Amino acid sequence: MKIGFIGLGIMGKPMAKNLLKAGNDVVAFDIIKENVDYIVAEGAKSASSAKAVAEECPVVITMLPNSPHVKSVVMGQNGVLDGASEGMILVDMSSIAPLASQEIGRACEAKGVKMLDAPVSGGEPKAIDGTLSIMVGGDKEVFNEMKPVLEIMGTSVVLCGALGAGNTTKLANQIIVAGNIAVLAEAMTLAKKAGVDPETVFQAIKGGLAGSTVMNAKAPMMIESNFNPGFKIDLHIKDLNNAIETAHGVGSPVPMTVQVQEMFENLHFDGKGQHDHSGLAEYYAKISGTKIGD
Ligand code: NAD
């Protein structure tokens, strides 16, 4: 199949590479030339704009930072909808606000383009392995048509509801991940300050009820003071802002999310927005005077 891919950052690169490995033709576009060059070296073809990608491809995938980027790439000048033919399918795999997905979906519908929102969880390692969890919103028929393509990039591909439901599910995921990382940093800082080695604490508790995928991935990073992304603090701020806005819209209070958001904001203003979200350990180091790592 010929698949357009727009947005070849940390996640988009390995996802597009897996599509190529599975025998698809990929037509790529990104505003950063080196990102396009990388995937062209892997066998993709480059296009000069989002419009040019859509002119060539019956399926276009977008993997961009946030709602404004997806809106401009799809609905803006020289965007996907300028080049799309009727019947084209747009699969937006970015993590954006559910209301933005629905707005983009309406613009697609007006042009006879079908759309799914299909954000992912799992980060760069799972994008490389093709084992992402993919949360999808949209029509069942379009979902069934795209499922084999999504299964190249992920092992769990679940239809969560109508358009926007994929991103609502992703927001729930991001709230849980943020809260987990924050309490992990809090607990490890306490252990260190009380004189118990955080590595020993990790080994002792990871198999018990407190153990989690988050703990396995992030405790070693905190212990090594390695905050290379991974998933950047600034992207998590974006997700929690979308979560808070969505929660306020439906009247569902999110006091825990707001607390962690303030910690992330503090790190952002300390110049750490590009650090991995396990950098919440750096917030605790600042307020406690104790680093988890050496
Ligand atoms: P990234 O910043 O590494 O990549 C985004 C890419 O989009 C960049 O290459 C950028 O140049 C490109 N881009 C931006 N504006 C563009 C435009 N107008 N036209 C064309 N290209 C444009 O981000 P990422 O880490 O790959 O994340 C992408 C999405 O996936 C985000 O919504 C993020 O929240 C989500 N996500 C990321 C991770 C992770 O661990 N990194 C995990 C799950 C979900």
Side-chain angles (χ1 to χ4, degrees):
M1 188 186 280
K2 199 170 201 180
I3 301 172
F5 208 109
I6 304 172
L8 295 138
I10 292 178
M11 298 296 282
K13 276 196 214 87
M15 289 163 71
K17 194 170 163 183
N18 283 331
L19 293 174
L20 283 166
K21 273 203 254 168
N24 297 288
D25 293 326
V26 171
V27 181
F29 174 67
D30 194 293
I31 47 175
I32 298 178
K33 187 181 172 298
E34 300 85 73
N35 289 355
V36 177
D37 290 348
Y38 169 91
I39 204 68
V40 166
E42 297 292 334
K45 186 185 157 192
S46 72
S48 58
S49 65
K51 177 184 174 191
V53 171
E55 279 169 346
E56 279 199 57
C57 301
V59 172
V60 174
I61 294 174
T62 41
M63 193 53 171
L64 298 158
N66 196 10
S67 314
H69 308 85
V70 183
K71 281 189 199 172
S72 103
V73 162
V74 176
M75 297 153 66
Q77 213 180 3
N78 259 337
V80 170
L81 291 180
D82 276 350
S85 314
E86 201 172 331
M88 195 203 90
I89 298 177
L90 170 69
V91 184
D92 177 37
M93 302 190 74
S94 329
S95 303
I96 69 171
L99 285 176
S101 295
Q102 289 163 359
E103 184 187 336
I104 296 160
R106 284 191 293 275
C108 287
E109 210 176 337
K111 292 253 177 171
V113 168
K114 298 179 254 182
M115 177 180 169
L116 298 174
D117 63 315
V120 309
S121 171
E124 191 186 19
K126 291 193 175 214
I128 292 169
D129 295 346
T131 56
L132 291 165
S133 294
I134 306 180
M135 301 145 258
V136 189
D139 286 347
K140 191 155 197 209
E141 214 174 277
V142 186
F143 171 76
N144 287 337
E145 201 178 333
M146 283 299 101
K147 203 169 176 227
V149 173
L150 296 174
E151 280 172 344
I152 296 167
M153 296 176 278
T155 36
S156 163
V157 180
V158 177
L159 181 63
C160 302
L163 190 64
N167 272 306
T168 301
T169 308
K170 173 70 183 178
L171 293 182
N173 182 83
Q174 292 307 82
I175 288 173
I176 294 165
V177 170
N180 263 277
I181 298 176
V183 290
L184 177 65
E186 187 167 302
M188 290 296 183
T189 306
L190 159 73
K192 180 77 177 278
K193 201 155 191 179
V196 183
D197 178 23
E199 174 66 24
T200 306
V201 174
F202 172 47
Q203 295 304 333
I205 68 176
K206 68 179 185 183
L209 191 57
S212 67
T213 309
V214 163
M215 184 184 283
N216 289 341
K218 303 300 175 185
M221 294 180 77
M222 293 178 186
I223 290 164
E224 288 161 20
S225 295
N226 165 21
F227 303 118
N228 295 329
F231 190 75
K232 294 170 195 156
I233 284 169
D234 281 346
L235 281 179
H236 218 142
I237 288 175
K238 174 264 299 184
D239 287 338
L240 295 190
N241 274 333
N242 286 339
I244 292 163
E245 198 183 308
T246 304
H248 288 169
V250 299
S252 181
V254 283
M256 300 278 290
T257 305
V258 170
Q259 288 257 7
V260 185
Q261 179 72 318
E262 288 300 311
M263 299 179 197
F264 277 139
E265 287 287 349
N266 193 284
L267 288 164
H268 172 84
F269 286 109
D270 280 349
K272 295 179 170 134
Q274 298 298 304
H275 288 196
D276 187 75
H277 50 176
S278 56
L280 277 170
E282 298 174 282
Y283 172 80
Y284 279 95
K286 185 171 150 186
I287 61 170
S288 70
T290 300
K291 268 174 77 180
I292 296 167
D294 292 322

